[in-house]
Amino acid sequence: MKAIFLPLVLAAGVLNTGCQSTSTTTSSDAQSANEQTQPAHTLRVATFNVSMEATNYDMAKHTAQSGNALTFALKSGEFSQINNIAQIIQRTRPDIILLNEFDYIENPDQGINLFKRDYLEVSQNGFDPIEYPYVYLAPVNTGVKTPFSGDDTRLTHYGFGKYPGQYGMVLLSRYPIKQDQVRTFQHFLWKDMPGNLMPTQPDGSSWYSAKEVSAMRLSSKSHWDIPVQICNKQVNVLASHPTPPVFDGPEDRNGKRNHDELRLWKDYISATGNEYLYDDKGQTGGFTDTSFVILGDLNASSVDGDAYPGAIDQLLKHPRVNDYPAPTSQGGQLNKPENKHGDTHTAHWGMRADYVLPSADLAVTGSGVFWPASHEAGAELVADRAASSDHRLVWVDITLPTLQCD
């Protein structure tokens, strides 16, 4: 399976990808769900764990009919959850958005193109359709079996999943993606990170067997560096979805893996200490350009949850990352009123898990979490996981310097 890059040719006048003021709809916390105009040259970047993986759509019932449960769900029109996901995106109107937990389907016409054509490009509850002419999707490690089997192995899959591609991810963009410059780190081995936190036994020996250590990939899904061209300005999207730091034992294998998945980005954007990194094409070293945005469901918080100590602070306190205040919502605060950090939560169980982290050279002029309070418009879209997802869409507005556009 290989990465797929999808430019979509549109009729003249349907979509303007030039550097113009953009009419948008803000998130619920963020003033209202009513549309308002962004300043000129403002780029809205978002991440959204959409929980669009096949087990949500009664896979046992439908796979025999469709070959893939997500494909069936998208074609059927039976699942209001998908319409609600599309409506949330139409309300917030990001220019670039990463969808986490959108199953990887190699043929885009059986997956992401169905979602775009039949949902995003169709008005949901009266909101304007939205079009993304550029798409990046690629394989992930979840559900991919290792060469090992039997009672003596702990490493049966490279990433947790019932089938290859479960909990995948896809990037949608209004602006061109430089396909030939994309870097991915799906196959980077955990052991090749100096000073890694691979779990150990009480006696200090490796928790994994020698053969497992030799094959264990660091990324539970993948790490993508995707250059996006916005007129004469390039912004690199650094996308990932590290493993949750739970569902393990005292060895804390998932917590340590989450930490090191985040460390990969920390090292990648640092001036030194990234010579060990190699991507899936064999290119070594870290990030050499100027502007980036780290985004995704990073499954870590510095104040809530079970993350390995300092995991997310590797990024939040990095000198190359913009230290703007965390996006907030009234819905998040009311969800956990006893938690003083509730307004920054992005997941219903009470944690800031989803992040959009621009580089320090980019000016952040707005941010928010789509989490309407019960009395606000759109509250029904986030009533529970069945309504849309157990995560909320997080967005950040970046004001770019004067651009030269064709």
Side-chain angles (χ1 to χ4, degrees):
M1 294 184 291
K2 59 184 179 179
I4 298 174
F5 171 75
L6 300 171
L8 177 65
V9 178
L10 300 176
V14 174
L15 177 69
N16 185 351
T17 59
C19 304
Q20 308 267 338
S21 297
T22 305
S23 178
T24 71
T25 307
T26 63
S27 81
S28 62
D29 104 276
Q31 303 99 28
S32 75
N34 296 324
E35 292 191 356
Q36 49 182 272
T37 302
Q38 294 179 343
H41 310 326
T42 294
L43 179 73
R44 178 163 289 185
V45 183
T47 187
F48 193 7
N49 181 327
V50 293
S51 195
M52 289 176 65
E53 48 89 18
T55 58
N56 278 347
Y57 308 114
D58 194 354
M59 185 164 59
K61 176 181 177 182
H62 296 311
T63 48
Q65 301 175 50
S66 66
N68 183 282
L70 178 56
T71 301
F72 176 90
L74 290 165
K75 289 181 175 180
S76 73
E78 296 177 3
F79 297 89
S80 60
Q81 180 246 6
I82 301 177
N83 299 87
N84 291 346
I85 292 289
Q87 184 182 155
I88 291 169
I89 295 171
Q90 289 179 356
R91 284 172 174 263
T92 52
R93 308 196 74 77
D95 297 301
I96 298 170
I97 182 169
L98 177 71
L99 306 181
N100 286 129
E101 295 197 10
F102 188 103
D103 276 358
Y104 173 73
I105 300 173
E106 185 174 11
N107 181 354
D109 290 335
Q110 298 297 307
I112 188 58
N113 283 354
L114 288 174
F115 181 55
K116 290 201 309 171
R117 184 194 71 195
D118 295 345
Y119 296 88
L120 294 178
E121 297 171 11
V122 175
S123 174
Q124 305 293 332
N125 198 30
F127 285 86
D128 289 342
I130 190 165
E131 297 181 351
Y132 293 101
Y134 303 97
V135 176
Y136 182 79
L137 72 157
V140 293
N141 285 325
T142 40
V144 178
K145 292 182 178 180
T146 70
F148 315 123
S149 62
D151 296 336
D152 63 338
T153 185
R154 289 166 163 152
L155 186 62
T156 58
H157 296 77
Y158 292 115
F160 175 79
K162 297 180 179 179
Y163 49 88
Q166 188 176 16
Y167 311 116
M169 54 188 186
V170 58
L171 187 79
L172 305 179
S173 176
R174 292 182 57 238
Y175 297 97
I177 294 170
K178 292 185 173 181
Q179 179 206 14
D180 59 343
Q181 296 180 28
V182 172
R183 298 183 68 186
T184 65
F185 295 85
Q186 181 190 5
H187 298 100
F188 178 83
L189 297 178
W190 194 356
K191 71 179 181 63
D192 291 337
M193 173 178 279
N196 64 71
L197 296 180
M198 292 190 82
T200 57
Q201 304 279 13
D203 63 2
S205 61
S206 175
W207 190 81
Y208 290 111
S209 69
K211 68 179 182 180
E212 292 167 340
V213 169
S214 71
M216 181 66 175
R217 299 173 183 175
L218 172 60
S219 184
S220 54
K221 283 84 176 178
S222 192
H223 285 66
W224 297 343
D225 174 356
I226 306 170
V228 179
Q229 191 67 36
I230 304 153
C231 300
N232 64 323
K233 174 69 173 176
Q234 178 175 308
V235 176
N236 285 51
V237 173
L238 308 183
S240 64
H241 184 186
T243 194
V246 289
F247 313 124
D248 52 21
E251 81 289 342
D252 195 21
R253 66 186 185 277
N254 292 330
K256 292 175 179 178
R257 189 179 188 183
N258 175 278
H259 175 281
D260 282 356
E261 289 191 72
L262 294 172
R263 182 188 153 189
L264 187 151
W265 285 141
K266 186 267 290 184
D267 290 349
Y268 191 65
I269 64 175
S270 297
T272 60
N274 51 36
E275 299 84 1
Y276 70 90
L277 286 168
Y278 53 86
D279 63 28
D280 295 328
K281 296 178 181 178
Q283 180 181 342
T284 59
F287 184 74
T288 58
D289 292 303
T290 302
S291 302
F292 61 83
V293 181
I294 298 172
L295 77 168
D297 175 1
L298 302 186
N299 271 318
S301 168
S302 57
V303 293
D304 297 300
D306 299 298
Y308 191 87
I312 194 62
D313 286 344
Q314 296 177 101
L315 301 180
L316 295 180
K317 296 183 178 180
H318 196 288
R320 288 200 65 190
V321 173
N322 192 304
D323 63 351
Y324 77 100
T328 61
S329 72
Q330 185 179 6
Q333 181 61 73
L334 295 176
N335 180 61
K336 297 288 183 181
E338 73 285 358
N339 190 316
K340 65 179 180 180
H341 306 290
D343 61 339
T344 68
H345 290 170
T346 67
H348 80 92
W349 64 84
M351 193 177 93
R352 184 186 182 192
D354 308 87
Y355 294 81
V356 180
L357 302 176
S359 52
D361 66 297
L362 296 175
V364 174
T365 54
S367 66
V369 181
F370 185 88
W371 199 334
S374 59
H375 63 279
E376 292 181 309
E380 71 282 359
L381 301 174
V382 295
D384 51 34
R385 182 171 184 172
S388 54
S389 173
D390 51 348
H391 291 250
R392 307 293 176 251
L393 182 149
V394 180
W395 59 265
V396 168
D397 284 345
I398 299 166
T399 297
L400 299 172
T402 302
L403 301 177
Q404 297 175 2
C405 307
D406 295 334

